[in-house]
């Protein structure tokens, strides 16, 4: 018999259909069972009336355990009380696979236990909501650049050189060489931007940071656009337009999931252009006013970022940091050589940096000197220098890690729930 | 002055616009220069008439070298002879960045030289065509599953266990443990299918195979769908429907690029359902008829795959291989326990296996015995076995490596040109 998905039951009102799924929850009395059945596309209440079904069907329903897989046949009926708008009047039930002592019960469990059982935890309604929002964020990111003529230009994961410094790299033997797992697709993407004008990549990136904070994962997905003939100002315009687009698409398409997560949607609806823009110098002043003893020249930590973003009801763009605390490929500000033409976007509500980007150094000589100054080997960057040797142009871009964005949109305390199988300092399993 | 992209010039006929790009090619006489200018979105002929521009503009044009970056101002004019339909009557030119002795000239170069200069080679028109088709294939893959209610469920790259055997793994120290780079997202995706009914992942995968063939890369992108309550027959239906969709979208949307590659599009237009389906047993008979001395039980190599696919004008599905030559997670055929409920799709024209998939073993006891029988450690697969302990269901899926598909659609001899920066046995650079 053909399977009907729960997301499609509205099209079958009054018809008898076959659902295939799992028992999510059950309430029973002597006369009837209310089975909450999920099939991944939705959850529906299935009502088993003792007087309407064969005795063995009623008996079978009474023994069903949480997460048993079942095939349920019945008639789709409108039901105003249901969030779905429909329930199923059951006529038959078949047990497909038993489930004995399912480890995740409705009671509270510790996070370590839930992460150990991540392969099962992803079946719960909160995790469903988060994963569907992650899926929506990924789609929105791609759609934004696809609709604007960007070419997808997948950067390699295995690289012979480090991008953001050499201390936080995962490495693997690569036949007779050593390869490093990419920390960012940017350097390769610059070749794509100079070939295609507008290019983006979107893939997993890796940082072997010995940090155990609520904002860090060892493996996370990053979307990175790069545009030829773009300067810092246009880059900031693109970043705010992009973030507004992504957030508002989730608000528009995933309201049911945001409701499950009890997210204050009004805060997300405020994420509209223009976003405030402040220079690093202004940010330092703000921090001094708030009592921070940070010196000019230092990068911001989580506490400073939160203090800055707390002053605003939408993301804030902080631009022109001291060049010394940023990566070698940043272009110096022609107005003040101590500064880099870079930008970080800090999310509101303490979610920290979600975007880092800026204009790239496009002068061959200056870039070569920076590579030397940063103590990096020159040979692995020879191809990167070539991009400044043959028709160099001003260009800019940014990277956005999607897990922090998902955590922010969902209102989660920790990024560990934003990815199917999080990789952390103490967690490589399951 | 605002930049106009070449892809948009049709909207500016008769207007003066500013293009920003690179000099792709040049022809000159004493009275005029024909500059082929590319900006990544297209190429346009820019005509510089000596008597129409300032002498220094004409002089500047005469010294422009290949891949110099330039800003060109001029009037958009219809031109029937141009593939674009328009040319630019130049009024001004500014040099942005010089390009001296650009290494890739229009003359023939060896492949090793071109791969060494891959960061520049991607600027050439053939490589543009291939990358745009790759981009289209990626979009089509995602769109197919997005439109059918699949949830994107990103599988992890860093894993504690091997999926397809332990001999061809890249490994990295992971703090106090060892992590392996994923060879397939499938095992994790099965958890996704049992949570969401229909799930897919699409990311880079890695095989440290010491093989140097035209079909192998060390790092390649794979799309993998997985569906709960699906059997082998429905899995084959999905695979053929999906491949038809992807190929026909490229044919519909990328005809200009296929023309640049001189692809015989008629062969691609034949890729329509139903695809032929043959059992492994029939394939063996075919091979014997063609003089191959292969024994029943052996897996097919490249030559056998080509011999089988040569009999058909579209992809062929070969199903039910001997279980002994397939992975441990395949479900045995209840009709003949020697066989696995698996399927490979072989592309026509000698492009080999593009899809591998099948129905997964869903019985806990049988799967545990298979893990032991394959000599795999049990502990890292405990979570995978759990999927058969708590509400197991029949389920199936497949993986498609996109580089082979792009090579096939483009009609390329070797997969190395199908990805921005190929990683091969002897190549980790640039």
């Amino acid at each position: 018999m053909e399977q009907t998905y729960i997301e499609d039951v509205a099209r079958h009102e009054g018809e008898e259909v076959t659902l295939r799924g799992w028992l999510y929850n059950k309430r029973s009395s002597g006369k009837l069972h209310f089975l909450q059945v999920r099939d991944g596309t939705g959850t529906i209440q299935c009502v088993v009336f003792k007087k309407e079904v064969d005795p063995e069907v009623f008996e079978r329903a009474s023994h069903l355990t949480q997460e048993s897989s079942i095939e349920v046949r019945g008639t789709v009926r409108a039901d105003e009380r249901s969030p779905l708008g429909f329930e199923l009047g059951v006529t038959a039930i078949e047990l497909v696979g038993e489930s004995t002592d399912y480890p995740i019960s409705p009671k509270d469990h510790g996070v370590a236990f839930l992460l150990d059982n991540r392969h099962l935890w992803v079946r719960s309604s909160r995790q469903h909501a988060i994963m569907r929002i992650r899926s929506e964020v990924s789609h929105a990111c791609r759609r934004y650049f696809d609709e604007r003529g960007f070419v997808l230009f997948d950067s390699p994961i295995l690289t012979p050189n480090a991008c953001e410094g050499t201390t936080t790299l995962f490495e693997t033997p690569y036949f007779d060489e050593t390869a490093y797992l990419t920390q960012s697709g940017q350097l390769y993407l610059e070749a794509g931007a100079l070939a295609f004008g507008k290019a983006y990549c979107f893939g997993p990136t890796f940082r072997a940071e010995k940090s155990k904070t609520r904002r860090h994962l060892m493996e996370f997905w990053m979307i990175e656009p790069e545009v030829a003939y773009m300067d810092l100002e246009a880059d900031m315009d693109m970043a705010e337009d992009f973030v507004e687009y992504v957030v508002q698409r989730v608000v528009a398409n995933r309201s049911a999931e945001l409701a499950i997560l009890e997210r204050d949607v009004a805060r997300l609806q405020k994420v509209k252009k223009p976003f405030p823009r402040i220079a690093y110098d202004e940010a330092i002043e703000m921090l001094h006013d708030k009592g921070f003893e940070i010196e000019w020249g230092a990068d911001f930590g989580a506490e400073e970022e939160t203090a800055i973003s707390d002053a605003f009801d939408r993301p804030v763009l902080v631009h022109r940091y001291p060049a010394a605390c940023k990566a070698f490929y940043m272009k110096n500000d022609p107005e003040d050589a101590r500064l880099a033409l870079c930008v970080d976007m800090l999310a509101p509500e303490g979610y920290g940096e979600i975007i880092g980007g800026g204009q790239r150094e496009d002068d061959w000589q200056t870039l070569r000197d920076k590579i030397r100054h940063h103590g990096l080997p020159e040979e692995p960057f020879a191809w990167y220098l070539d991009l400044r040797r043959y028709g160099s142009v001003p260009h800019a871009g940014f990277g956005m890690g999607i897990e922090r964005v998902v955590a922010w949109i969902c209102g989660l305390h920790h990024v560990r729930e934003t990815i199917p199988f999080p990789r952390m300092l103490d967690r490589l399993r399951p």
Side-chain angles (χ1 to χ4, degrees), chain A:
Chain A
M1 263 167 298
E2 209 187 336
Q3 175 179 4
T4 298
Y5 281 106
I6 294 170
E7 63 184 354
D8 299 326
V9 291
R11 286 194 256 132
H12 297 277
E13 193 183 340
E15 296 172 25
E16 195 172 47
V17 299
T18 301
L19 307 180
R20 297 197 174 107
W22 293 264
L23 183 70
Y24 195 65
N25 216 333
K26 188 174 75 175
R27 281 184 300 123
S28 295
S29 75
K31 291 181 192 165
L32 46 78
H33 301 297
F34 293 109
L35 311 179
Q36 298 292 331
V37 174
R38 68 166 191 88
D39 72 355
T41 74
T43 304
I44 192 169
Q45 176 160 277
C46 301
V47 185
V48 193
F49 254 107
K50 192 167 187 173
K51 58 182 180 186
E52 286 180 358
V53 296
D54 288 342
E56 66 267 30
V57 170
F58 193 81
E59 184 67 12
R60 197 172 291 149
S62 69
H63 291 105
L64 287 178
T65 53
Q66 191 189 356
E67 284 302 320
S68 292
S69 45
I70 48 177
E71 186 173 292
V72 187
R73 200 159 167 77
T75 305
V76 178
R77 299 190 293 232
D79 175 32
E80 282 180 13
R81 293 156 303 177
S82 152
L84 188 70
F86 298 91
E87 64 173 24
L88 197 77
V90 173
T91 54
I93 297 174
E94 295 296 332
L95 177 66
V96 177
E98 283 187 87
S99 170
T100 309
D101 301 327
Y102 187 70
I104 303 177
S105 59
K107 71 166 185 173
D108 271 353
H109 295 281
V111 166
F113 177 83
L114 290 169
L115 284 170
D116 286 341
N117 287 286
R118 184 65 176 165
H119 53 296
L120 304 173
W121 191 22
V122 288
R123 300 181 182 187
S124 74
S125 68
R126 264 184 67 85
Q127 299 305 314
H128 262 225
I130 296 167
M131 285 303 126
R132 286 191 182 277
I133 287 171
R134 177 189 173 89
S135 197
E136 188 76 38
V137 166
S138 286
H139 294 164
C141 287
R142 291 183 185 277
R143 183 181 281 255
Y144 181 87
F145 294 111
D146 292 342
E147 286 176 351
R148 284 156 186 80
F150 284 65
V151 170
L152 174 65
F153 191 79
D154 296 307
S155 284
I157 306 299
L158 297 171
T159 68
N161 47 282
C163 174
E164 304 253 359
T166 48
T167 53
T168 56
L169 287 168
F170 288 109
E171 63 179 66
T172 175
Y174 189 90
F175 307 106
D176 298 332
E177 294 190 81
T178 298
Y180 302 95
L181 302 194
T182 188
Q183 296 184 307
S184 156
Q186 180 203 315
L187 302 195
Y188 290 95
L189 191 61
E190 290 183 45
L194 271 53
F196 292 96
K198 299 173 280 188
Y200 77 97
C201 63
F202 190 7
T205 52
F206 305 86
R207 306 235 171 136
E209 276 185 76
K210 283 213 164 174
S211 54
K212 221 175 155 174
T213 84
R214 65 193 189 87
R215 294 175 176 182
H216 284 91
L217 294 171
M218 301 299 149
E219 175 182 330
F220 59 101
W221 283 65
M222 186 146 70
I223 182 146
E224 298 175 83
E226 189 78 23
V227 182
Y229 289 101
M230 181 176 264
D231 63 12
L232 175 64
E233 299 309 306
D235 196 30
M236 291 199 278
D237 293 345
M238 177 169 74
E240 69 176 9
D241 191 57
F242 169 67
V243 169
E244 175 186 311
Y245 177 91
V246 170
V247 172
Q248 296 312 324
R249 254 189 97 84
V250 175
V251 169
N253 296 344
R254 293 292 164 194
S255 57
E257 285 79 6
L258 292 167
I260 288 169
L261 298 168
E262 298 174 6
R263 182 63 165 117
D264 180 358
V265 176
R267 302 194 75 153
L268 298 177
Q269 282 163 336
K270 283 190 191 132
V271 180
K272 296 270 171 72
K273 300 190 292 186
F275 296 172
R277 298 182 186 192
I278 61 173
Y280 172 87
D281 285 6
E282 296 169 79
I284 287 284
E285 269 180 49
M286 277 181 62
L287 291 170
H288 286 165
D289 289 348
K290 292 191 177 198
F292 282 83
E293 294 188 358
I294 189 168
E295 282 189 37
W296 194 98
D299 202 357
F300 302 140
E303 280 184 45
E304 286 89 359
E305 286 179 356
T306 300
I308 296 165
S309 66
D310 274 351
F312 306 99
D313 64 352
R314 65 200 73 195
V316 54
L317 295 153
V318 184
H319 55 85
R320 293 180 173 80
Y321 285 67
C325 68
K326 290 290 176 181
F328 74 93
Y329 49 73
M330 302 278 189
K331 188 174 175 67
N332 285 27
D333 187 350
E335 312 271 308
D336 182 345
R338 298 172 310 156
L339 305 179
L341 290 177
C342 65
V343 61
D344 283 359
M345 186 188 289
L346 310 180
E349 304 175 60
Y351 282 94
E353 181 198 327
I354 50 171
I355 276 183
Q359 197 173 330
R360 322 305 185 183
E361 181 51 64
D362 51 20
D363 179 68
W364 185 88
Q365 185 79 50
T366 311
L367 183 63
R368 200 204 52 185
D369 292 348
K370 285 186 173 195
I371 288 170
R372 288 181 179 175
H373 182 73
H374 276 74
L376 294 167
E378 215 170 303
E379 186 276 325
F381 294 102
W383 69 269
Y384 185 63
L385 282 161
D386 271 0
L387 303 179
R388 281 72 181 169
R389 193 192 286 274
Y390 304 110
S392 188
V393 301
H395 59 288
F398 61 77
M400 185 178 89
I402 68 161
E403 284 75 14
R404 284 194 191 172
V405 172
V406 173
W408 164 43
I409 291 176
C410 292
L412 305 177
H413 175 69
H414 198 296
V415 291
R416 65 192 161 211
E417 290 180 51
T418 63
I419 190 167
F421 292 92
R423 296 298 180 238
M424 298 182 286
L425 191 56
D426 54 359
R427 178 165 298 280
L428 179 60
R429 286 157 213 274

